[in-house]
């Protein structure tokens, strides 16, 4: 599970995240929505332990990330919006290196690497250099690394960027499979059609604050509509914030 309580991040006089509380239960895919600059990536990086909160509390799988960071991070997978990959390694070498960071060694790591590469349809490229991969293949490799150590919670920042329709369908299927196994997934995305299709619950953030949370039906009720698509509900709840960027996506 992933939980934040009154999370705040300030940069001088600017408050990027202002009292964000989230609760992502095991087996839940939770959509984290908001326009550019709303505070999504800052929140996710704090949960991942890459940024220190100004105040507030973060708990990952029962471990407070401030007082018990190692087990918290060990049980967490992270798929950033701009991943870094060592391109002079092969896909298999990259995953073995990544696994070593989580203490995965010995004979079992080879089987797990092959399992993840096959799951993300990269098995035939295990011994190919990453620098030869397309953007979508690199994205799938990063995702395979995030699930390699069997995390119980996963953070995902814009998972569909650069994926072709087949790759996007594969990722949707993998995420559903992982959630069915009890993995808690917090997913930030601008692709609202994907969010509506995949997510169980949503939190909408605007100017650093959560302005609405709930299922699609609950968000529709808050927006005063029972038939609108999530894109229309989002625009109503945010007062049209992010309209231009959403138009560009669709």
């Amino acid at each position: 599970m992933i939980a934040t309580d009154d999370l705040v991040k300030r940069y001088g006089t600017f408050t990027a995240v202002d009292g964000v509380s989230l609760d992502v239960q095991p087996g839940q895919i939770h959509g984290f929505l908001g326009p550019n600059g709303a505070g999504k990536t800052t929140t996710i990086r704090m949960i991942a332990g890459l940024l220190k909160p100004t105040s507030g509390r973060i708990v990952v799988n029962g471990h407070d990330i401030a007082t018990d960071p190692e087990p918290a991070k060990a049980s967490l997978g992270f798929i950033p919006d701009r991943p870094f990959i060592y391109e002079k390694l092969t896909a298999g070498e990259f995953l073995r290196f990544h696994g070593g960071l989580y203490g995965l060694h010995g004979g079992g790591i080879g089987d797990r690497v092959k399992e993840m590469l096959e799951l993300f349809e990269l098995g035939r490229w295990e011994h190919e250099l990453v620098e030869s991969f397309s953007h979508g293949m690199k994205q799938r490799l990063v995702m395979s690394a995030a699930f390699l150590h069997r995390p119980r919670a996963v953070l995902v920042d814009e998972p569909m960027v650069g994926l072709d329709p087949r790759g996007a369908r594969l990722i949707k299927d993998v995420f559903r499979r992982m959630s069915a196994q009890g993995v808690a997934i917090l997913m930030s995305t601008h692709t609202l059609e994907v969010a509506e299709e995949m997510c169980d619950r949503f939190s909408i953030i605007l100017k650093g604050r959560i302005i609405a949370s709930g299922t699609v039906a609950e968000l529709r009720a808050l927006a005063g509509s029972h038939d609108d698509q999530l894109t229309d509900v989002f625009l109503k709840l945010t007062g049209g914030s992010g309209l231009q960027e959403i138009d560009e996506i669709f």
Side-chain angles (χ1 to χ4, degrees), residues 68 72 98 115 117 148 159 172 176 178 188 199-200 205 218 227:
D68 209 10
H98 187 88
E115 179 185 352
L117 289 175
L148 184 70
K172 292 175 188 177
R176 289 194 190 97
M178 294 300 179
S188 166
C199 298
D200 307 301
I205 185 171
E218 289 167 344
D227 300 316

Side-chain angles (χ1 to χ4, degrees), residues 111-157:
D111 292 338
R112 183 61 177 169
V113 165
K114 290 182 182 297
E115 179 185 352
M116 286 294 98
L117 289 175
E118 290 297 333
L119 179 62
F120 286 91
E121 297 184 356
L122 293 170
R124 60 186 289 195
W125 291 283
E126 178 180 356
H127 303 294
E128 299 294 326
L129 291 177
V130 174
E131 66 181 3
S132 68
F133 285 15
S134 68
H135 177 81
M137 292 171 66
K138 290 176 182 177
Q139 191 79 345
R140 300 204 312 269
L141 181 62
V142 168
M143 292 184 186
S144 67
F147 287 103
L148 184 70
H149 60 291
R150 295 184 174 87
R152 303 311 304 159
V154 175
L155 303 171
V156 190
D157 200 356

